[in-house]
Amino acid sequence: RLHKLTTVTAHAKATKKEPITADAAIVAPLRTAAADYHLFPEFVADLREYVEIISSIAASAHQQYRRLVTGANRVDFSDMEQALHDLLADPVRRKAFCAPLGFIGSDESQDMTARSAAAIAAVTREVGAGAWLADPNQSIYPFRGADHVAVDNEAKNLLAAVAGGAGPTTHYDNHRSPP
């Protein structure tokens, strides 16, 4: 029974507000123990040390990654996102960057980060014309920061600024994901 809770599917079921009936007897004492974790200072200290070790390993790995990227004279997605953010922060450079553009089209917008959505919104606002296509049901990159709610908010603000408050156009003909 314990092995069953270690599988991804079972873990997802066990972390629901109400576990499936078969797991209720296992989940209840785990939840009781979790609620009383503060009564076990040695466990809390061990857990804190574990988190600090993992955080230290992650920080070291990130530093090594940055050294490798920089040493190879390369950029990654975060670097490109930062460069665009920096460019758009300067009104003169933003205007020059956007001047040759007549229309901004963005497909799969639900997979943008909040920062990317803000940048694409700034470009679209400067250009004055564009279309964003997004289906929140198809958002597959939340693990890398995709934020379809931030995209929706940027799109609504953009509509208010550029389109005089026009609303989004919702299409219901979707053959790739459930409604």
Side-chain angles (χ1 to χ4, degrees):
R1 299 277 299 180
L2 185 57
H3 172 72
K4 181 179 178 187
L5 286 174
T6 62
T7 66
V8 173
T9 303
H11 174 72
K13 290 176 184 173
T15 58
K16 299 287 184 197
K17 187 173 182 179
E18 297 301 324
I20 61 173
T21 304
D23 291 337
I26 295 172
V27 172
L30 290 173
R31 286 185 174 168
T32 301
D36 291 337
Y37 82 96
H38 64 283
L39 300 175
F40 303 94
E42 297 86 9
F43 172 72
V44 172
D46 287 348
L47 187 58
R48 185 177 315 280
E49 181 182 6
Y50 173 76
V51 170
E52 288 170 359
I53 289 169
I54 296 300
S55 296
S56 175
I57 291 168
S60 295
H62 181 70
Q63 288 171 353
Q64 180 63 20
Y65 170 76
R66 294 304 319 155
R67 280 193 292 274
L68 291 169
V69 169
T70 303
N73 200 27
R74 301 280 195 252
V75 295
D76 65 6
F77 183 80
S78 296
D79 296 330
M80 290 185 281
E81 197 175 47
Q82 181 65 48
L84 181 59
H85 175 77
D86 293 346
L87 180 142
L88 295 173
D90 178 347
V92 173
R93 291 174 62 207
R94 181 178 61 240
K95 190 171 267 324
F97 176 78
C98 295
L101 307 174
F103 183 88
I104 302 301
S106 174
D107 192 10
E108 303 296 343
S109 298
Q110 73 275 357
D111 291 324
M112 283 194 262
T113 64
R115 188 172 208 171
S116 292
I120 300 303
V123 172
T124 306
R125 191 174 290 109
E126 186 75 36
V127 171
W132 293 14
L133 304 176
D135 180 352
N137 293 325
Q138 293 184 31
S139 183
I140 60 172
Y141 294 109
F143 66 91
R144 71 157 180 81
D147 185 348
H148 68 83
V149 173
V151 170
D152 288 347
N153 290 336
E154 288 289 350
K156 287 174 188 169
N157 292 338
L158 192 59
L159 282 169
V162 175
T169 301
T170 302
H171 296 272
Y172 296 99
D173 295 333
N174 177 347
H175 304 284
R176 296 193 303 174
S177 64

